[in-house]
Amino acid sequence: RTETLPSYLQIDTITLDTYTQEGSNSHFIESAWVFVNNEPLGLYELPATIAVLAEGMSDIVVRPGIKNNGISGTRVMYPFYEGQKGTAELSALNATTINFETTYIEETVFAFINDFEVSNNFETADAAYAPFEAISEPDLVFEGSRSGAVYLNQIDSFFQIKTNIGYLLPDENYPVYLEMNYRCSQNFQVLLRASNLQGASILWSQLYVGKKETWNKIYIELTETATDLNQQDFNVFEVLFQAELADTLETAYFYWDNIKLLHYEQ
């Protein structure tokens, strides 16, 4: 019988293109689901060289993948990035390089985008806590001219910051995510506070974000939490970050940029 020789598809990067009202094009697309001629080939960490049992002009679909909640073992198709379609001429034993550019899907609702350039929707939750500030030192800012920061020391040993208004989030398991660029010398906690019409509230611990001494990007999924709390009629949400200075440290720093709260139209 004739043995089919593979062609190779090389995908090095997927970039993100944004409009002004969508904020930064910073992303951490580090994997991709690949389909060739409607056949699923699987999930690949980028850059990837993918063996394909096809030749000639072929239809290619790539779905951008992220680490859900920053965890390597939970890679998912990010529901707010468009799958990209293209064609490529494949030939046996040759590699065809094709790099993709994705966008946010049209149905994406940005509940807020905070890049600290002009305005800031985070505030210190209590005057007794370490202060939150917008910084402009070029060596410390992620991009643009400003980032958000908190510094802890032996005196100011705890911080809690929160959004200064509440946001409505969908239920029925519509996707909800919090994106951010961050850099920190110890871990910090991400929480949601959900309130009802009677003024009662629930403070929900969502995730601990680990130490990262160089700038990183994380996608935190809030879908299940938003659905569960909405179904209990707690439907106005605030986002909070907090941390207490670790026993092993004398000081700690926390920097943020491009914080986005996203969901689908409902």
Side-chain angles (χ1 to χ4, degrees), residues 86-264:
T87 57
E89 183 78 32
L90 302 179
S91 61
L93 301 180
N94 288 321
T96 301
T97 298
I98 183 166
N99 293 319
F100 285 87
E101 184 177 85
T102 189
T103 58
Y104 283 106
I105 66 166
E106 191 175 337
E107 296 81 6
T108 303
V109 175
F110 296 86
F112 71 77
I113 300 174
N114 195 342
D115 61 10
F116 305 103
E117 295 301 311
V118 177
S119 59
N120 167 33
N121 67 329
F122 276 85
E123 62 186 11
T124 303
D126 189 295
Y129 300 157
F132 177 74
E133 57 187 295
I135 59 167
S136 56
E137 291 92 332
D139 291 347
L140 300 178
V141 168
F142 173 68
E143 64 182 13
S145 58
R146 286 152 61 98
S147 294
V150 171
Y151 299 98
L152 295 183
N153 54 47
Q154 299 294 324
I155 297 171
D156 287 325
S157 60
F158 178 81
F159 84 86
Q160 184 185 83
I161 62 175
K162 65 181 186 68
T163 49
N164 54 17
I165 62 171
Y167 299 89
L168 300 177
L169 297 177
D171 56 7
E172 300 178 1
N173 287 307
Y174 279 63
V176 181
Y177 272 80
L178 184 71
E179 295 185 13
M180 71 177 94
N181 296 103
Y182 71 96
R183 178 184 166 210
C184 53
S185 57
Q186 70 161 75
N187 64 8
F188 67 94
Q189 192 175 6
V190 176
L191 308 98
L192 290 182
R193 178 181 287 124
S195 304
N196 63 18
L197 292 175
Q198 290 72 43
S201 65
I202 293 176
L203 188 60
W204 186 277
S205 176
Q206 186 67 38
L207 185 75
Y208 281 89
V209 177
K211 177 175 81 169
K212 205 74 175 179
E213 295 186 344
T214 57
W215 282 98
N216 192 40
K217 170 109 180 184
I218 191 169
Y219 303 81
I220 301 172
E221 185 174 11
L222 306 177
T223 308
E224 186 177 331
T225 303
T227 294
D228 289 349
L229 293 175
N230 264 304
Q231 290 175 352
Q232 300 173 58
D233 292 327
F234 290 89
N235 50 22
V236 179
F237 294 85
E238 299 165 81
V239 177
L240 298 90
F241 304 151
Q242 69 178 34
E244 185 168 6
L245 182 66
D247 293 340
T248 55
L249 298 176
E250 293 187 3
T251 62
Y253 60 78
F254 307 84
Y255 301 119
W256 298 273
D257 213 338
N258 304 317
I259 307 171
K260 303 180 185 182
L261 181 61
L262 299 75
H263 59 83
Y264 278 4

Side-chain angles (χ1 to χ4, degrees), residues 74-86:
T74 56
R75 290 182 168 92
V76 299
M77 295 183 196
Y78 192 46
F80 299 102
Y81 290 158
E82 284 279 11
Q84 300 302 294
K85 298 178 181 179

